[in-house]
Amino acid sequence: MTSSNLTITVLGAGYVGLTTAVLLANANFKVYLIEPNDERRQVIQSGKSFFYEYGLDVLLEQALNSDFLVVTDSYETAVTNSRVVFSCVGTPDNPDGSSNLSYVFSAAEETLKYAQPELVYVQKSTVPVGTGQKIEALFVEKAPNLKLRYISNPEFLREGTAISDTLFFDRVVAGGRDKEAVNLVIDIYKDLEEQRERLAQLSKIPIAPRVDQYITTSLNSAELIKVTSNAFLALKISFANSIAILADKADADVVEVMDAVGADHRIGRAFLNAGRGYGGGCFPKDVSGLISSALDYGVDLQIMESAQEQNRLMPGYIVDRIQQALDNSLAGKRVAVLGLAFKAGTSDVRKSPGVAIANKLHEAGAHVVTYDPEAQEEAAIDLFRGVEDSESIEATVKGAEAVVLTTEWPEIIDFPASKYAQLMHGNVFFDAVNQYNALDATSNSLRYIGVGHRAE
Ligand code: UGA
């Protein structure tokens, strides 16, 4: 079997599914994208993604115009014609922290109804180790004659850089029992890789050379690679944050510390930026999912519980420090919160530290005004009643006793200190992402406070 002229179905049009479908269609695979939600499907069919992701819309439009991409809610239309299915459905967390796999299993069952013999079923959704074996068993039990092949191909793209991460990857991991199917998945990525300069140009993203590797493993290892990667990155952040709190007490600077610690190539500087902690649809969920699935195997991952707890504490730590800076009282004081997205480059506000900080400040009695260049609308539902939103940095900051930077949007980080100082009523300038130029702030009479970080 070769990858040329393949027809592929992608299940689910979230960040992963939409990016995958659009890129494969632009690499001239015939792609059916299944999205059951009518509203989302209509938006996508009109050539727009329903979330903000740099470079995606132009590729989506191109894919739709070329007829290589068909968006549908019909498994029958899509799967009947496909040799390969990429499952990119959501895996939300249950209230107890475990992964909710109902979409993962219902997508597999629905596919079974229309699958051709020997179809290659590729799991991109993040699932606990052992899930693939259960789906393999389901395939054998319900359709023994079809001989479906199951591959785990975890996704490592980040929101905000989804196109770049997919085209210029560190590694593609594929794990499964059937070597021919594993190789087919790898070949699909190699076809995409051949087109990457053209696609980067089209979507106006920079060419980003990486040491790309293709790694084939067992099924269970592939599943564990994904959650271990995210858990380790979350661990690095929580570690940096715990050292930041020590730095605050010990009169050291966490940025200086991590710059030097990260200069050791065995450690690396990435993901050691201390601040308000991690958020988003992945790290919080994947850490709790890993803890919970390890317990199913009788393993207590206390190290990850500590990382999780450290992260949970960060918004409260920041609000306490703002309160101290405002003479120990937030009551009635106007505080500007700049940044509601869980990181820059996305409109996603899931488990966003900026939202948590705004709500905690409000609970403590502050008059909170918020701003985000892309996430205002998505945040509205999570913000407590009484938290105001505003349409610009200027309007948010005007008359504020304190400003808190909670997302590292360039617009916020590059906003001149002189203007912040001019617009504010007070001078407390809390940089909860440790990204603002501290010297600029202090030389404009702002009282700069970072997380384990300060001016000089
Ligand atoms: C993360 C992983 O980085 C991807 O490789 C993975 O594919 C994805 O999860 C997923 O499982 O789908 P993402 O959640 O988009 O990607 O965002 P990151 O860029 O990893 O940032 C996560 C959070 O950590 C953000 O809130 C960010 O502000 C925070 N962070 C990041 C820090 O607080 N400090 C750092 O040094 C780095």
Side-chain angles (χ1 to χ4, degrees):
M1 204 194 279
T2 69
S3 65
S4 53
N5 302 322
L6 268 184
T7 299
I8 298 172
T9 287
V10 176
L11 308 177
Y15 288 94
V16 173
L18 189 56
T19 306
T20 305
V22 159
L23 284 172
L24 290 176
N26 274 284
N28 300 339
F29 291 102
K30 174 83 185 181
V31 178
Y32 289 95
L33 174 62
I34 299 191
E35 174 50 56
N37 180 305
D38 290 342
E39 206 179 315
R40 282 186 178 188
R41 209 174 47 253
Q42 276 157 21
V43 176
I44 296 167
Q45 273 161 341
S46 76
K48 296 234 170 299
S49 48
F50 55 91
F51 49 84
Y52 174 74
E53 182 64 48
Y54 183 79
L56 189 54
D57 284 0
V58 60
L59 292 174
L60 172 59
E61 217 181 319
Q62 173 82 10
L64 290 166
N65 290 342
S66 70
D67 285 338
F68 277 103
L69 180 65
V70 176
V71 189
T72 174
D73 61 349
S74 163
Y75 273 75
E76 185 171 9
T77 313
V79 176
T80 316
N81 289 304
S82 298
R83 305 291 304 275
V84 178
V85 168
F86 280 93
S87 167
C88 307
V89 298
T91 49
D93 43 358
N94 287 317
D96 68 356
S98 62
S99 307
N100 179 338
L101 298 176
S102 55
Y103 298 128
V104 167
F105 280 95
S106 60
E109 295 226 20
E110 204 54 28
T111 300
L112 261 181
K113 294 183 190 162
Y114 309 103
Q116 299 178 14
E118 301 196 350
L119 176 130
V120 177
Y121 194 86
V122 187
Q123 189 65 259
K124 288 187 82 63
S125 303
T126 302
V127 292
V129 57
T131 306
Q133 287 180 335
K134 290 184 189 149
I135 298 176
E136 281 185 330
L138 177 95
F139 286 168
V140 171
E141 182 201 323
K142 298 222 162 161
N145 298 330
L146 287 181
K147 298 197 171 16
L148 303 189
R149 279 93 65 79
Y150 185 93
I151 304 296
S152 167
N153 166 227
E155 180 55 62
F156 301 106
L157 68 78
R158 290 163 297 174
E159 290 177 27
T161 48
I163 305 288
S164 175
D165 287 346
T166 311
L167 294 177
F168 303 100
F169 50 87
D170 287 331
R171 77 287 208 205
V172 166
V173 173
R177 236 189 283 276
D178 187 307
K179 294 300 159 229
E180 194 193 37
V182 169
N183 290 336
L184 178 70
V185 173
I186 300 283
D187 284 348
I188 292 171
Y189 283 99
K190 286 191 171 160
D191 283 352
L192 182 59
E193 192 182 354
E194 275 177 24
Q195 311 280 332
R196 66 184 179 186
E197 269 78 18
R198 179 178 66 79
L199 298 180
Q201 253 176 4
L202 195 61
S203 55
K204 297 200 172 61
I205 60 153
I207 309 272
R210 299 232 184 122
V211 192
D212 41 14
Q213 298 184 53
Y214 293 93
I215 302 173
T216 59
T217 66
S218 71
L219 176 56
N220 285 12
S221 295
E223 287 174 338
L224 197 52
I225 285 165
K226 164 68 195 201
V227 274
T228 305
S229 296
N230 275 3
F232 189 69
L233 293 171
L235 194 61
K236 281 185 97 174
I237 298 167
S238 280
F239 180 72
N241 283 336
S242 57
I243 299 298
I245 291 172
L246 173 60
D248 271 335
K249 301 258 188 289
D251 206 16
D253 190 311
V254 75
V255 176
E256 288 179 349
V257 172
M258 291 309 169
D259 282 349
V261 169
D264 182 334
H265 74 276
R266 295 170 303 174
I267 297 172
R269 180 62 176 85
F271 281 72
L272 288 176
N273 291 329
R276 78 304 193 247
Y278 58 80
C282 303
F283 285 1
K285 172 170 79 69
D286 290 355
V287 169
S288 65
L290 179 61
I291 293 169
S292 157
S293 83
L295 282 176
D296 289 343
Y297 289 96
V299 177
D300 186 1
L301 285 183
Q302 282 183 25
I303 191 167
M304 292 318 304
E305 280 166 23
S306 302
Q308 191 177 41
E309 181 59 8
Q310 182 66 49
N311 197 56
R312 197 187 61 76
L313 293 175
M314 291 317 292
Y317 177 74
I318 286 163
V319 170
D320 285 350
R321 296 210 62 220
I322 297 167
Q323 179 157 329
Q324 282 160 18
L326 290 173
D327 299 327
N328 284 318
S329 169
L330 284 161
K333 291 183 180 154
R334 182 177 169 106
V335 181
V337 174
L338 298 177
L340 297 168
F342 81 96
K343 65 172 186 176
T346 176
S347 55
D348 194 343
V349 295
R350 285 176 290 173
K351 302 264 161 56
S352 169
V355 172
I357 289 169
N359 286 341
K360 277 187 186 296
L361 286 164
H362 174 76
E363 275 179 329
H367 169 200
V368 181
V369 190
T370 63
Y371 169 73
D372 189 285
E374 294 293 340
Q376 206 92 35
E377 207 182 309
E378 290 187 32
I381 193 168
D382 293 333
L383 289 170
F384 290 167
R385 254 179 63 191
V387 173
E388 273 180 42
D389 60 6
S390 184
E391 77 290 351
S392 67
I393 298 180
E394 284 88 343
T396 313
V397 168
K398 198 161 182 222
E401 298 293 330
V403 164
V404 199
L405 311 189
T406 39
T407 312
E408 71 287 11
W409 286 105
E411 184 186 332
I412 294 170
I413 299 299
D414 298 340
F415 194 81
S418 55
K419 278 203 183 170
Y420 278 120
Q422 201 185 346
L423 289 160
M424 287 172 69
H425 182 251
N427 71 346
V428 172
F429 191 78
F430 199 101
D431 178 7
V433 284
N434 285 353
Q435 307 260 333
Y436 200 81
N437 186 323
L439 277 180
D440 252 9
T442 48
S443 53
N444 280 282
S445 308
L446 293 171
R447 187 170 157 204
Y448 180 92
I449 313 170
V451 183
H453 175 55
R454 60 225 142 93
E456 308 254 324

